[in-house]
Amino acid sequence: MQLGFTDEEIAFRGEVRHFLGSALSEEARRKLREGRRLGKEELVAWTRILHARGWAVPHWPLEWGGTGWDPIRQMIFRDEVQQFPAPETLSFGTSMVGPVIYTFGSRAQKERFLPRIARLDDWWCQGFSEPGAGSDLASLKTRAVRDGDHYVVNGQKAWTTLAQHADWIFVLARTDPSARKQNGISFLLVDMTTPGVTVRPVETIDGGFEINEVFFEDVRVPAENLVGEENKGWDYAKFLLGNERNGQARVGLSKARARRIRDLATAPCDAGEPRMADPVFRRRLAALEVEIKALEMTQLRVIAAERGRGEGKPDPASSILKIRGSELQQATTELLMDLIGPAALVRHADEGPQGHDWARGGASTYFNLRKLSIYGGSNEIQRTIIAKAILGL
Amino acid sequence: MNFEFSEEQNLLKDSVDRAFAKSYGFERRMQVLGSAPGWSREAWTQMADLGLLGLPFAAGDGGFDGGPVETMIVMEAIGRALALEPYAQTVVLAGAVLRHGASAALRAHLVPQVAEGRLVLAFAHGETQARWALSDVATRAVRVDGGYRLTGRKVLVVAGGIADRLVVSARTAGGRTEAQGIGLFLVDPASAGVSVTAYATHDGRRAADIGLDDVFVADADVIGDPAGAFPVIARAVGEAIAALCAEAVGAMDEALAMTVDYLKTRTQFGVTIGSFQALQHRAADMFVALEQARSMALYAVMSVAEPDAVRRAAALSAAKVQIGISGRFIGQQAIQLHGGIGMTMEYKVGHLFKRLTMIDKEFGDVDHHLACLGEGPGLLEAS
């Protein structure tokens, strides 16, 4: 056992932190700290800076721009980015479709798409869920019918995050309607500018626009944009979802938020007393900190064990990371909202009474993050994975 | 960062697990529980033969140079088997006092006896008014010619009724709750002025209240600085907390394994009850609670040697909180999912539940440690 980080790992953490400090604008950092979203241009600019440093896609193979870091270093990097906080790269490209393409795609697809994903030249979104296919994803109805050199796609995708910015969408579509549910699905890469693709934004309860409906009406997709084999798309989707689960603990974000809560609650607020003077509040914060520390340790254990596993063979224990990671992000935003108190009423961050700059709009994040226990395999699905794959029930 | 056991640690784990599986099954445990002394000399001797009783002590003192990971391995097995022998009291807790506080001469005298199973020790520290405040010591030690005279009352001393020697904390200076001014004294319970009142605890062990009425302790039996022992007490209790966390993980692991087994075999409505999603998800939540506890037991192991006392205390408080929360949840759900059989003394799962409940009540429960953490600088400072 080597409990605790090695000297090299600690030095690496310092190197990452130093880079973030020198490369990220103070404005972007402040926005993220306050829970506000960056615009597309800001994320593109940051991705280019990371790319120039060679750190845009650390977990990818060296050949396609990866760093060769082991899973512990990758985790340290993610953790530092999250708690700095610095922007995370667009996961739909770097963590979802990127690994599918470099694992299952053709040479031509790799050369065409991977460099553009790494630089965020192409903005990708995920076309998996449908109005009638959520947790039961394999019941999806979008169809792709082969017609010469093309597939003709018809159907509708739902909950498509940031599709309004997207240049490309990766789509699960049914290519063999006669096959058993999971067997007739293919994985297609679709240019969003293709005629017949329309995007309808859907406002979320926090007042934000990040999810969309995407409609496909006789969309002609070149057959060369099929990933891997026809009707094998479910295998690639499972691979993608397994990778996704690992990235969802996002302990760094919860750590940073808990630290911010402690800082804010230690300063005197307008009523005079700091909130930390209240033992009930102190207890709530302490309990959250314990849970975050426990998740951080569990993540380290899962990742340390990953070194012995092949990529794309997710540890079912990573379902713990999804469940607790989402719950703790939600719990920290909830405590932050409670800390804010009456000023949480204000909807827009640039309005409301004076003296509450730090607090304005604070409930928005709380509303927004209710999504975390729903997406990426709902927490109920994760419990079923644990019950079946680990406990054998 | 690497959580895999070394080859030696794997060997230790194999031999410990095998030994407990072979000779400390539930029926045997119930026999020991029902016996007059309430623990097994035979099992104690076996632990000595396996080298477990000398494990954490330095080889130079007659031990085997084990560290907190080795202690964790043993305690997890003890937790799984619900073993009743005073390992945590003698080897871990009083052992840590000897390792960190005693002179070389005293260690040379005592450690071989502990390692060979000839000396049972108990740590007599808690007092009625203190609850879990570690520096709250009213028992007095007054300087006399050739030693000290101790007067006071120690309570809830686990293994206090069977110990050959007691490690007693007493105040030579300072106010009742001050850290400064506390000393540690090795007391023979047969000495004049010592009264021992033993009683059973809910988890099948025995504890005792120790009355000290002008008890003489010779200078040779003073452990370390008679006014500056608090850091030793804090370190030793820290190691005991880490060990209890490991014991709890063993007990939780066993409780979950038994529960999952039961869900797979018990049939109602013509199907195994494990086919019901409500119960599957409950079991999944138990698994999550177990793994979070395991993670924090490891965190405790990582933290026992932290030189900064404030950070160390915070880390151990955090571990104890997680163990308390997970232990309560897993214990309660193990009973619930077993149904009626879980309520009986005849079945192991109820005993696991009781032990887990009592572990929370040793060295500070969830409320106590959350309050400690609330006072501190926070657990998540930038690393």
Side-chain angles (χ1 to χ4, degrees), chain B residues 259-308:
Chain B
T259 304
V260 169
D261 228 31
Y262 189 78
L263 293 176
K264 287 176 184 170
T265 48
R266 168 78 173 166
T267 58
Q268 288 287 274
F269 307 105
V271 291
T272 57
I273 60 174
S275 64
F276 300 134
Q277 192 181 56
L279 304 192
Q280 288 177 356
H281 284 194
R282 197 81 55 80
D285 286 336
M286 291 168 74
F287 175 76
V288 173
L290 167 64
E291 292 306 316
Q292 296 292 76
R294 202 188 293 282
S295 291
M296 289 306 273
L298 280 163
Y299 186 57
V301 164
M302 284 166 66
S303 305
V304 285
E306 162 67 49
D308 179 334

Short mmCIF file of all heavy atoms in Angstrom, two decimals, chain B residues 259-308:
data_model
loop_
_atom_site.label_atom_id
_atom_site.label_comp_id
_atom_site.label_asym_id
_atom_site.label_seq_id
_atom_site.Cartn_x
_atom_site.Cartn_y
_atom_site.Cartn_z
N THR B 259 -26.98 -10.49 4.50
CA THR B 259 -28.26 -9.97 4.01
C THR B 259 -28.47 -10.33 2.54
O THR B 259 -29.56 -10.77 2.14
CB THR B 259 -28.31 -8.44 4.20
OG1 THR B 259 -28.09 -8.15 5.58
CG2 THR B 259 -29.64 -7.88 3.77
N VAL B 260 -27.42 -10.16 1.74
CA VAL B 260 -27.53 -10.48 0.31
C VAL B 260 -27.81 -11.97 0.13
O VAL B 260 -28.65 -12.38 -0.68
CB VAL B 260 -26.25 -10.06 -0.44
CG1 VAL B 260 -26.23 -10.62 -1.85
CG2 VAL B 260 -26.15 -8.53 -0.48
N ASP B 261 -27.12 -12.77 0.94
CA ASP B 261 -27.36 -14.20 0.92
C ASP B 261 -28.82 -14.53 1.22
O ASP B 261 -29.44 -15.38 0.57
CB ASP B 261 -26.47 -14.83 2.00
CG ASP B 261 -25.72 -16.01 1.47
OD1 ASP B 261 -25.39 -15.99 0.27
OD2 ASP B 261 -25.46 -16.95 2.26
N TYR B 262 -29.32 -13.86 2.22
CA TYR B 262 -30.70 -14.09 2.63
C TYR B 262 -31.67 -13.69 1.52
O TYR B 262 -32.63 -14.40 1.22
CB TYR B 262 -30.98 -13.30 3.92
CG TYR B 262 -32.31 -13.62 4.55
CD1 TYR B 262 -32.48 -14.79 5.29
CD2 TYR B 262 -33.39 -12.77 4.41
CE1 TYR B 262 -33.70 -15.10 5.87
CE2 TYR B 262 -34.61 -13.06 4.99
CZ TYR B 262 -34.76 -14.23 5.72
OH TYR B 262 -35.97 -14.53 6.28
N LEU B 263 -31.40 -12.56 0.89
CA LEU B 263 -32.27 -12.09 -0.20
C LEU B 263 -32.30 -13.09 -1.35
O LEU B 263 -33.28 -13.20 -2.08
CB LEU B 263 -31.80 -10.72 -0.72
CG LEU B 263 -31.93 -9.53 0.23
CD1 LEU B 263 -31.33 -8.27 -0.40
CD2 LEU B 263 -33.38 -9.28 0.62
N LYS B 264 -31.20 -13.82 -1.51
CA LYS B 264 -31.12 -14.78 -2.61
C LYS B 264 -31.80 -16.11 -2.30
O LYS B 264 -32.05 -16.89 -3.21
CB LYS B 264 -29.66 -15.06 -2.96
CG LYS B 264 -28.97 -13.92 -3.69
CD LYS B 264 -27.49 -14.26 -3.91
CE LYS B 264 -26.79 -13.09 -4.55
NZ LYS B 264 -25.33 -13.28 -4.56
N THR B 265 -32.02 -16.36 -1.01
CA THR B 265 -32.55 -17.68 -0.66
C THR B 265 -33.98 -17.65 -0.11
O THR B 265 -34.73 -18.59 -0.29
CB THR B 265 -31.64 -18.37 0.38
OG1 THR B 265 -31.36 -17.44 1.42
CG2 THR B 265 -30.34 -18.81 -0.25
N ARG B 266 -34.32 -16.57 0.54
CA ARG B 266 -35.65 -16.48 1.15
C ARG B 266 -36.71 -16.29 0.05
O ARG B 266 -36.58 -15.38 -0.77
CB ARG B 266 -35.66 -15.28 2.11
CG ARG B 266 -37.04 -14.88 2.61
CD ARG B 266 -37.53 -15.79 3.69
NE ARG B 266 -38.77 -15.30 4.28
CZ ARG B 266 -39.55 -16.04 5.06
NH1 ARG B 266 -39.20 -17.30 5.35
NH2 ARG B 266 -40.65 -15.55 5.56
N THR B 267 -37.71 -17.15 0.04
CA THR B 267 -38.77 -16.97 -0.96
C THR B 267 -40.08 -16.58 -0.29
O THR B 267 -40.43 -17.07 0.79
CB THR B 267 -39.01 -18.26 -1.79
OG1 THR B 267 -39.35 -19.31 -0.90
CG2 THR B 267 -37.79 -18.66 -2.57
N GLN B 268 -40.76 -15.67 -0.95
CA GLN B 268 -42.13 -15.26 -0.58
C GLN B 268 -42.85 -14.95 -1.88
O GLN B 268 -42.22 -14.51 -2.84
CB GLN B 268 -42.11 -14.02 0.32
CG GLN B 268 -41.60 -14.29 1.73
CD GLN B 268 -42.61 -15.05 2.59
OE1 GLN B 268 -43.48 -14.47 3.21
NE2 GLN B 268 -42.48 -16.38 2.60
N PHE B 269 -44.15 -15.13 -1.88
CA PHE B 269 -44.95 -14.92 -3.10
C PHE B 269 -44.41 -15.76 -4.27
O PHE B 269 -44.52 -15.38 -5.43
CB PHE B 269 -44.96 -13.44 -3.51
CG PHE B 269 -45.39 -12.50 -2.41
CD1 PHE B 269 -44.45 -11.72 -1.75
CD2 PHE B 269 -46.72 -12.42 -2.02
CE1 PHE B 269 -44.83 -10.87 -0.72
CE2 PHE B 269 -47.11 -11.56 -1.00
CZ PHE B 269 -46.17 -10.79 -0.35
N GLY B 270 -43.72 -16.85 -3.94
CA GLY B 270 -43.24 -17.75 -4.98
C GLY B 270 -41.94 -17.34 -5.65
O GLY B 270 -41.51 -17.98 -6.61
N VAL B 271 -41.31 -16.26 -5.17
CA VAL B 271 -40.02 -15.84 -5.76
C VAL B 271 -39.06 -15.48 -4.63
O VAL B 271 -39.47 -15.24 -3.49
CB VAL B 271 -40.19 -14.61 -6.68
CG1 VAL B 271 -40.96 -14.97 -7.94
CG2 VAL B 271 -40.88 -13.46 -5.94
N THR B 272 -37.76 -15.46 -4.96
CA THR B 272 -36.81 -14.99 -3.95
C THR B 272 -37.05 -13.50 -3.73
O THR B 272 -37.31 -12.76 -4.69
CB THR B 272 -35.35 -15.20 -4.39
OG1 THR B 272 -35.13 -14.54 -5.62
CG2 THR B 272 -35.04 -16.68 -4.54
N ILE B 273 -36.94 -13.09 -2.47
CA ILE B 273 -37.28 -11.68 -2.19
C ILE B 273 -36.25 -10.73 -2.80
O ILE B 273 -36.52 -9.55 -2.98
CB ILE B 273 -37.46 -11.42 -0.67
CG1 ILE B 273 -36.19 -11.75 0.11
CG2 ILE B 273 -38.65 -12.23 -0.14
CD1 ILE B 273 -36.28 -11.36 1.59
N GLY B 274 -35.07 -11.26 -3.14
CA GLY B 274 -34.06 -10.43 -3.80
C GLY B 274 -34.45 -10.03 -5.21
O GLY B 274 -33.76 -9.23 -5.84
N SER B 275 -35.55 -10.58 -5.72
CA SER B 275 -36.01 -10.17 -7.05
C SER B 275 -36.83 -8.89 -6.98
O SER B 275 -37.17 -8.32 -8.01
CB SER B 275 -36.82 -11.29 -7.70
OG SER B 275 -38.00 -11.54 -6.94
N PHE B 276 -37.14 -8.43 -5.78
CA PHE B 276 -37.93 -7.20 -5.65
C PHE B 276 -37.02 -5.97 -5.71
O PHE B 276 -36.02 -5.88 -4.99
CB PHE B 276 -38.70 -7.19 -4.32
CG PHE B 276 -39.66 -8.34 -4.18
CD1 PHE B 276 -39.72 -9.07 -3.01
CD2 PHE B 276 -40.50 -8.69 -5.23
CE1 PHE B 276 -40.59 -10.14 -2.87
CE2 PHE B 276 -41.39 -9.76 -5.10
CZ PHE B 276 -41.43 -10.49 -3.93
N GLN B 277 -37.41 -5.02 -6.55
CA GLN B 277 -36.52 -3.88 -6.76
C GLN B 277 -36.35 -3.03 -5.49
O GLN B 277 -35.26 -2.51 -5.24
CB GLN B 277 -37.06 -3.00 -7.89
CG GLN B 277 -36.04 -1.99 -8.35
CD GLN B 277 -36.57 -1.11 -9.46
OE1 GLN B 277 -37.59 -0.46 -9.33
NE2 GLN B 277 -35.86 -1.11 -10.58
N ALA B 278 -37.40 -2.92 -4.71
CA ALA B 278 -37.27 -2.13 -3.48
C ALA B 278 -36.14 -2.68 -2.61
O ALA B 278 -35.36 -1.93 -2.03
CB ALA B 278 -38.59 -2.12 -2.70
N LEU B 279 -36.06 -4.02 -2.54
CA LEU B 279 -35.03 -4.63 -1.70
C LEU B 279 -33.66 -4.60 -2.38
O LEU B 279 -32.63 -4.45 -1.72
CB LEU B 279 -35.43 -6.07 -1.34
CG LEU B 279 -36.79 -6.22 -0.66
CD1 LEU B 279 -36.95 -7.63 -0.09
CD2 LEU B 279 -36.98 -5.20 0.46
N GLN B 280 -33.66 -4.73 -3.71
CA GLN B 280 -32.39 -4.61 -4.44
C GLN B 280 -31.76 -3.24 -4.20
O GLN B 280 -30.56 -3.12 -3.95
CB GLN B 280 -32.62 -4.80 -5.94
CG GLN B 280 -32.95 -6.22 -6.35
CD GLN B 280 -33.24 -6.33 -7.84
OE1 GLN B 280 -33.27 -5.33 -8.56
NE2 GLN B 280 -33.46 -7.55 -8.30
N HIS B 281 -32.58 -2.21 -4.28
CA HIS B 281 -32.03 -0.86 -4.12
C HIS B 281 -31.59 -0.61 -2.69
O HIS B 281 -30.61 0.09 -2.45
CB HIS B 281 -33.06 0.18 -4.59
CG HIS B 281 -33.13 0.27 -6.09
ND1 HIS B 281 -33.74 1.29 -6.75
CD2 HIS B 281 -32.66 -0.57 -7.05
CE1 HIS B 281 -33.63 1.10 -8.06
NE2 HIS B 281 -33.00 -0.03 -8.26
N ARG B 282 -32.31 -1.18 -1.74
CA ARG B 282 -31.88 -1.05 -0.35
C ARG B 282 -30.51 -1.70 -0.17
O ARG B 282 -29.62 -1.14 0.46
CB ARG B 282 -32.89 -1.68 0.59
CG ARG B 282 -32.75 -1.26 2.04
CD ARG B 282 -33.41 0.08 2.32
NE ARG B 282 -34.79 0.05 1.91
CZ ARG B 282 -35.78 -0.49 2.63
NH1 ARG B 282 -35.53 -1.02 3.81
NH2 ARG B 282 -37.01 -0.46 2.20
N ALA B 283 -30.35 -2.89 -0.75
CA ALA B 283 -29.07 -3.59 -0.65
C ALA B 283 -27.98 -2.77 -1.34
O ALA B 283 -26.83 -2.70 -0.85
CB ALA B 283 -29.18 -4.99 -1.25
N ALA B 284 -28.32 -2.14 -2.46
CA ALA B 284 -27.34 -1.30 -3.16
C ALA B 284 -26.93 -0.12 -2.28
O ALA B 284 -25.75 0.23 -2.21
CB ALA B 284 -27.91 -0.80 -4.49
N ASP B 285 -27.90 0.46 -1.59
CA ASP B 285 -27.57 1.56 -0.68
C ASP B 285 -26.67 1.08 0.47
O ASP B 285 -25.79 1.81 0.93
CB ASP B 285 -28.85 2.19 -0.11
CG ASP B 285 -29.56 3.05 -1.14
OD1 ASP B 285 -28.89 3.53 -2.09
OD2 ASP B 285 -30.79 3.26 -1.02
N MET B 286 -26.91 -0.14 0.93
CA MET B 286 -26.04 -0.71 1.97
C MET B 286 -24.63 -0.87 1.43
O MET B 286 -23.64 -0.59 2.12
CB MET B 286 -26.58 -2.06 2.44
CG MET B 286 -27.89 -1.96 3.23
SD MET B 286 -28.68 -3.59 3.48
CE MET B 286 -27.63 -4.31 4.75
N PHE B 287 -24.52 -1.31 0.17
CA PHE B 287 -23.20 -1.47 -0.44
C PHE B 287 -22.47 -0.13 -0.53
O PHE B 287 -21.29 -0.03 -0.22
CB PHE B 287 -23.35 -2.11 -1.82
CG PHE B 287 -22.05 -2.22 -2.58
CD1 PHE B 287 -21.13 -3.20 -2.25
CD2 PHE B 287 -21.75 -1.34 -3.60
CE1 PHE B 287 -19.92 -3.29 -2.93
CE2 PHE B 287 -20.55 -1.43 -4.28
CZ PHE B 287 -19.63 -2.41 -3.94
N VAL B 288 -23.20 0.90 -0.97
CA VAL B 288 -22.59 2.23 -1.06
C VAL B 288 -22.11 2.67 0.33
O VAL B 288 -20.99 3.16 0.49
CB VAL B 288 -23.59 3.26 -1.64
CG1 VAL B 288 -23.02 4.67 -1.56
CG2 VAL B 288 -23.93 2.92 -3.10
N ALA B 289 -22.95 2.45 1.33
CA ALA B 289 -22.58 2.85 2.70
C ALA B 289 -21.35 2.08 3.17
O ALA B 289 -20.46 2.64 3.83
CB ALA B 289 -23.75 2.60 3.65
N LEU B 290 -21.28 0.81 2.83
CA LEU B 290 -20.13 -0.01 3.21
C LEU B 290 -18.85 0.52 2.55
O LEU B 290 -17.82 0.67 3.20
CB LEU B 290 -20.36 -1.47 2.81
CG LEU B 290 -19.13 -2.39 2.86
CD1 LEU B 290 -18.60 -2.52 4.28
CD2 LEU B 290 -19.46 -3.78 2.30
N GLU B 291 -18.92 0.80 1.25
CA GLU B 291 -17.71 1.24 0.56
C GLU B 291 -17.26 2.63 1.02
O GLU B 291 -16.06 2.90 1.09
CB GLU B 291 -17.93 1.21 -0.96
CG GLU B 291 -18.07 -0.20 -1.52
CD GLU B 291 -16.89 -1.10 -1.13
OE1 GLU B 291 -15.73 -0.66 -1.21
OE2 GLU B 291 -17.13 -2.25 -0.74
N GLN B 292 -18.22 3.49 1.34
CA GLN B 292 -17.84 4.80 1.88
C GLN B 292 -17.14 4.60 3.24
O GLN B 292 -16.18 5.30 3.55
CB GLN B 292 -19.08 5.69 2.05
CG GLN B 292 -19.77 6.05 0.76
CD GLN B 292 -18.94 6.96 -0.12
OE1 GLN B 292 -17.98 6.53 -0.76
NE2 GLN B 292 -19.28 8.22 -0.14
N ALA B 293 -17.65 3.65 4.03
CA ALA B 293 -17.04 3.38 5.33
C ALA B 293 -15.64 2.79 5.14
O ALA B 293 -14.68 3.16 5.83
CB ALA B 293 -17.91 2.41 6.13
N ARG B 294 -15.50 1.89 4.18
CA ARG B 294 -14.20 1.28 3.91
C ARG B 294 -13.19 2.36 3.50
O ARG B 294 -12.04 2.37 3.93
CB ARG B 294 -14.34 0.23 2.80
CG ARG B 294 -13.25 -0.82 2.79
CD ARG B 294 -13.35 -1.71 1.56
NE ARG B 294 -14.51 -2.56 1.48
CZ ARG B 294 -14.65 -3.69 2.16
NH1 ARG B 294 -13.70 -4.10 2.96
NH2 ARG B 294 -15.74 -4.42 2.02
N SER B 295 -13.67 3.27 2.67
CA SER B 295 -12.79 4.37 2.24
C SER B 295 -12.32 5.19 3.43
O SER B 295 -11.16 5.56 3.52
CB SER B 295 -13.54 5.28 1.25
OG SER B 295 -13.78 4.61 0.04
N MET B 296 -13.25 5.48 4.34
CA MET B 296 -12.87 6.32 5.47
C MET B 296 -12.07 5.54 6.51
O MET B 296 -11.29 6.14 7.26
CB MET B 296 -14.11 6.96 6.09
CG MET B 296 -14.71 8.02 5.20
SD MET B 296 -13.53 9.31 4.68
CE MET B 296 -13.67 10.44 6.05
N ALA B 297 -12.24 4.22 6.58
CA ALA B 297 -11.37 3.42 7.45
C ALA B 297 -9.93 3.50 6.92
O ALA B 297 -8.97 3.59 7.70
CB ALA B 297 -11.86 1.98 7.51
N LEU B 298 -9.79 3.48 5.60
CA LEU B 298 -8.46 3.64 5.01
C LEU B 298 -7.91 5.05 5.28
O LEU B 298 -6.72 5.23 5.54
CB LEU B 298 -8.52 3.40 3.50
CG LEU B 298 -8.53 1.94 3.08
CD1 LEU B 298 -8.99 1.80 1.64
CD2 LEU B 298 -7.13 1.34 3.24
N TYR B 299 -8.80 6.03 5.21
CA TYR B 299 -8.38 7.40 5.49
C TYR B 299 -7.89 7.51 6.94
O TYR B 299 -6.89 8.19 7.21
CB TYR B 299 -9.56 8.34 5.25
CG TYR B 299 -9.25 9.81 5.37
CD1 TYR B 299 -8.26 10.40 4.59
CD2 TYR B 299 -9.97 10.61 6.25
CE1 TYR B 299 -7.99 11.76 4.70
CE2 TYR B 299 -9.70 11.97 6.35
CZ TYR B 299 -8.72 12.53 5.59
OH TYR B 299 -8.45 13.88 5.69
N ALA B 300 -8.57 6.82 7.84
CA ALA B 300 -8.12 6.81 9.24
C ALA B 300 -6.74 6.19 9.34
O ALA B 300 -5.85 6.71 10.04
CB ALA B 300 -9.13 6.05 10.11
N VAL B 301 -6.55 5.07 8.64
CA VAL B 301 -5.24 4.42 8.66
C VAL B 301 -4.16 5.36 8.12
O VAL B 301 -3.06 5.45 8.67
CB VAL B 301 -5.30 3.12 7.82
CG1 VAL B 301 -3.91 2.62 7.48
CG2 VAL B 301 -6.07 2.05 8.58
N MET B 302 -4.49 6.10 7.06
CA MET B 302 -3.54 7.05 6.48
C MET B 302 -3.20 8.17 7.44
O MET B 302 -2.17 8.81 7.31
CB MET B 302 -4.16 7.72 5.23
CG MET B 302 -4.19 6.86 4.02
SD MET B 302 -5.32 7.59 2.77
CE MET B 302 -4.45 9.10 2.34
N SER B 303 -4.13 8.45 8.36
CA SER B 303 -4.02 9.68 9.15
C SER B 303 -3.46 9.46 10.56
O SER B 303 -3.14 10.45 11.23
CB SER B 303 -5.41 10.33 9.27
OG SER B 303 -5.96 10.54 7.98
N VAL B 304 -3.35 8.23 11.03
CA VAL B 304 -2.96 8.04 12.44
C VAL B 304 -1.57 8.60 12.74
O VAL B 304 -1.29 9.00 13.86
CB VAL B 304 -3.01 6.56 12.90
CG1 VAL B 304 -4.44 6.12 13.11
CG2 VAL B 304 -2.27 5.66 11.95
N ALA B 305 -0.71 8.61 11.73
CA ALA B 305 0.65 9.09 11.99
C ALA B 305 0.84 10.55 11.58
O ALA B 305 1.95 11.06 11.61
CB ALA B 305 1.66 8.20 11.25
N GLU B 306 -0.24 11.22 11.20
CA GLU B 306 -0.16 12.65 10.84
C GLU B 306 0.41 13.43 12.03
O GLU B 306 -0.13 13.38 13.12
CB GLU B 306 -1.56 13.14 10.48
CG GLU B 306 -1.77 14.64 10.48
CD GLU B 306 -0.98 15.35 9.39
OE1 GLU B 306 -1.06 14.91 8.23
OE2 GLU B 306 -0.30 16.35 9.71
N PRO B 307 1.53 14.12 11.82
CA PRO B 307 2.16 14.81 12.96
C PRO B 307 1.36 16.01 13.47
O PRO B 307 1.41 16.30 14.67
CB PRO B 307 3.51 15.26 12.40
CG PRO B 307 3.45 15.10 10.92
CD PRO B 307 2.33 14.19 10.58
N ASP B 308 0.61 16.67 12.61
CA ASP B 308 -0.18 17.82 13.05
C ASP B 308 -1.42 17.32 13.79
O ASP B 308 -2.32 16.71 13.20
CB ASP B 308 -0.58 18.65 11.81
CG ASP B 308 -1.43 19.86 12.17
OD1 ASP B 308 -2.11 19.84 13.21
OD2 ASP B 308 -1.42 20.83 11.39
#
